Amino acid sequence: MDEGSKIPDVTVTVDDAGNEAAVSLASLGTPLVVYFYPKDDTSGCTTEAKDFSALADAFDAAGVKVVGISKDTPASHAKFSAKHALTVRLASDVDGAACEAFGVWVEKAMYGKRYMGIERATFLFGADGTLAKAWRKVRVPGHADAVLAAAKAL
């Protein structure tokens, strides 16, 4: 996905107050931060979600919505959110359509084994729904702050 691209027309599942709902990413509003992470309740993913949650008020003040996406189920997201008191909105991409549309479903390698998984990546869409900035192969420390700075600069 290149800068200037429109938000992909894909549907994800969100949990709003205990009710699962299928929503299109474009319907979440703009400006919008979409971040992809590999798995609920793993160390890097937990830190990233906590960092975005800690900055939720600052993103709100900047008029920017934030959604984190993984292939975990809505039930897994609910448990993850409750366990860590997360305030960031999480969405499920169980069928992988959003991962494919954003190009984050990639071959990975660990301990000499190759497998398919989600590349940690973040996408910032401006008020017009076009991609303003993308971060690939994200390193978690300081990342949420960098995204917030870019969002404020829109």
Side-chain angles (χ1 to χ4, degrees), residues 106-117:
V106 298
E107 185 176 73
K108 297 171 117 181
M110 185 183 299
Y111 305 119
K113 292 188 178 192
R114 297 204 169 279
Y115 63 98
M116 295 301 288

Side-chain angles (χ1 to χ4, degrees), residues 114-148:
R114 297 204 169 279
Y115 63 98
M116 295 301 288
I118 295 176
E119 172 187 67
R120 190 181 308 278
T122 303
F123 302 88
L124 172 62
F125 293 91
D128 63 356
T130 61
L131 183 62
K133 185 160 178 63
W135 293 262
R136 296 288 192 158
K137 298 182 181 175
V138 166
R139 298 276 185 234
V140 173
H143 177 62
D145 290 312
V147 175
L148 178 59

Side-chain angles (χ1 to χ4, degrees), residues 10-13 70-72 92-100 105:
V10 292
T11 300
V12 293
T13 304
S70 77
K71 291 185 81 167
D72 294 300
S92 296
D93 181 35
V94 176
D95 68 1
C99 290
E100 289 289 341
W105 188 247

Side-chain angles (χ1 to χ4, degrees), residues 35-121:
Y35 77 91
F36 287 87
Y37 65 97
K39 185 144 183 65
D40 286 348
D41 223 5
T42 55
S43 63
C45 298
T46 299
T47 299
E48 186 175 28
K50 284 180 170 182
D51 289 352
F52 274 111
S53 290
L55 296 173
D57 288 343
F59 278 103
D60 284 345
V64 180
K65 296 176 180 1
V66 178
V67 63
I69 300 175
S70 77
K71 291 185 81 167
D72 294 300
T73 65
S76 175
H77 285 339
K79 185 177 174 185
F80 179 46
S81 291
K83 180 178 179 181
H84 299 287
L86 301 177
T87 57
V88 68
R89 188 175 204 181
L90 301 178
S92 296
D93 181 35
V94 176
D95 68 1
C99 290
E100 289 289 341
F102 280 82
V104 299
W105 188 247
V106 298
E107 185 176 73
K108 297 171 117 181
M110 185 183 299
Y111 305 119
K113 292 188 178 192
R114 297 204 169 279
Y115 63 98
M116 295 301 288
I118 295 176
E119 172 187 67
R120 190 181 308 278

